[in-house]
Amino acid sequence: EAGVVQSPRYKIIEKKQPVAFWCNPISGHNTLYWYLQNLGQGPELLIRYENEEAVDDSQLPKDRFSAERLKGVDSTLKIQPAELGDSAVYLCASSSGPGQGAGGELFFGEGSRLTVL
Amino acid sequence: GEDVEQSLFLSVREGDSSVINCTYTDSSSTYLYWYKQEPGAGLQLLTYIFSNMDMKQDQRLTVLLNKKDKHLSLRIADTQTGDSAIYFCAEKAGGGNKLTFGTGTQLKVEL
């Protein structure tokens, strides 16, 4: 079974440029998450989707960040314009449903590492 | 609010036991998790424990939960060099499926 696929793995851009990350979750997983992981820190939730609906985007900086999950499968996360402080790893994860019985295992992709110069 | 804390580093010798500790603040946590992250990779779930349990064992892994003190630990028996990674504890509280992660503990296994 294929895991969560993210691209690009690495991206280097200059500040004020736009950038987009793509995520393909595990087939059949209804719940998709975007997490931000700063160096030396744990992941922090940016947005959570149930199918195509964003059910928790309270931590998403909406002035420059946007996300979409058309058709409830793949998702893109966009930053426009990027700032120096956006340099981090952007992790995508998926799970088979909210609060599923075993405790909600999240399957993570390898992440997209962004460097803003 | 939710806050999960861990010590930053742990160094052990191969074959010894490792104990990684975590404290959390949300008393309504329903599940607590341990994830492993190897360099350049995403997080991988190692094990989890339901909040009404105080211990769970899974092969070389033992999870202890002290709900009164809001303290979670992960013991790795017979630690191997392949166990070198960053270990994150995480809690799920309230509805939905939001996990709050700790800052991670980097485990270094020396020969």
Side-chain angles (χ1 to χ4, degrees):
Chain A
E1 177 184 276
V4 176
V5 179
Q6 292 187 244
S7 69
R9 287 293 313 278
Y10 304 94
K11 188 73 175 179
I12 301 173
I13 61 172
E14 293 188 344
K15 63 180 180 182
K16 301 185 181 179
Q17 294 300 304
V19 64
F21 306 112
W22 174 81
C23 174
N24 177 239
I26 291 173
S27 178
H29 280 192
N30 298 325
T31 310
L32 183 145
Y33 315 75
W34 283 102
Y35 278 87
L36 165 69
Q37 186 176 24
N38 285 304
L39 185 65
Q41 300 292 319
E44 299 171 36
L45 182 68
L46 288 173
I47 189 168
R48 174 169 64 95
Y49 282 92
E50 299 295 344
N51 298 303
E52 66 273 11
E53 182 183 357
V55 296
D56 184 355
D57 63 355
S58 57
Q59 301 302 312
L60 189 72
K62 298 181 182 63
D63 56 336
R64 298 183 299 107
F65 286 65
S66 64
E68 61 182 9
R69 191 185 184 196
L70 299 176
K71 301 181 181 179
V73 181
D74 295 358
S75 177
T76 56
L77 176 70
K78 298 178 182 178
I79 308 173
Q80 183 172 11
E83 297 179 353
L84 295 176
D86 297 330
S87 295
V89 177
Y90 293 83
L91 294 167
C92 180
S94 69
S95 65
S96 58
Q100 60 269 27
E105 178 175 2
L106 272 62
F107 294 83
F108 282 84
E110 293 180 314
S112 295
R113 182 177 295 274
L114 173 66
T115 301
V116 182
L117 303 176
Chain B
E2 305 151 346
D3 192 17
V4 182
E5 295 187 355
Q6 301 176 237
S7 54
L8 293 179
F9 299 104
L10 177 65
S11 179
V12 300
R13 286 191 174 182
E14 187 177 39
D16 289 350
S17 293
S18 308
V19 180
I20 302 171
N21 295 302
C22 170
T23 58
Y24 60 97
T25 58
D26 195 331
S27 58
S28 67
S29 295
T30 53
Y31 288 95
L32 294 125
Y33 307 81
W34 285 103
Y35 279 80
K36 177 183 181 182
Q37 186 177 36
E38 298 186 16
L43 280 71
Q44 175 190 7
L45 179 67
L46 285 178
T47 187
Y48 65 92
I49 188 167
F50 188 47
S51 59
N52 69 353
M53 299 170 63
D54 52 19
M55 188 182 89
K56 180 178 180 181
Q57 187 154 2
D58 184 1
Q59 299 182 340
R60 292 191 297 123
L61 306 178
T62 303
V63 179
L64 296 178
L65 174 60
N66 182 328
K67 197 172 181 180
K68 173 176 173 289
D69 294 338
K70 300 187 185 68
H71 182 266
L72 181 75
S73 68
L74 174 70
R75 179 177 180 270
I76 305 173
D78 187 24
T79 312
Q80 302 297 307
T81 54
D83 295 324
S84 293
I86 301 176
Y87 291 79
F88 292 93
C89 65
E91 64 169 351
K92 181 166 73 170
N97 212 28
K98 176 183 176 181
L99 298 189
T100 300
F101 287 85
T103 51
T105 299
Q106 182 163 1
L107 174 65
K108 181 179 179 182
V109 182
E110 299 176 327
L111 296 173

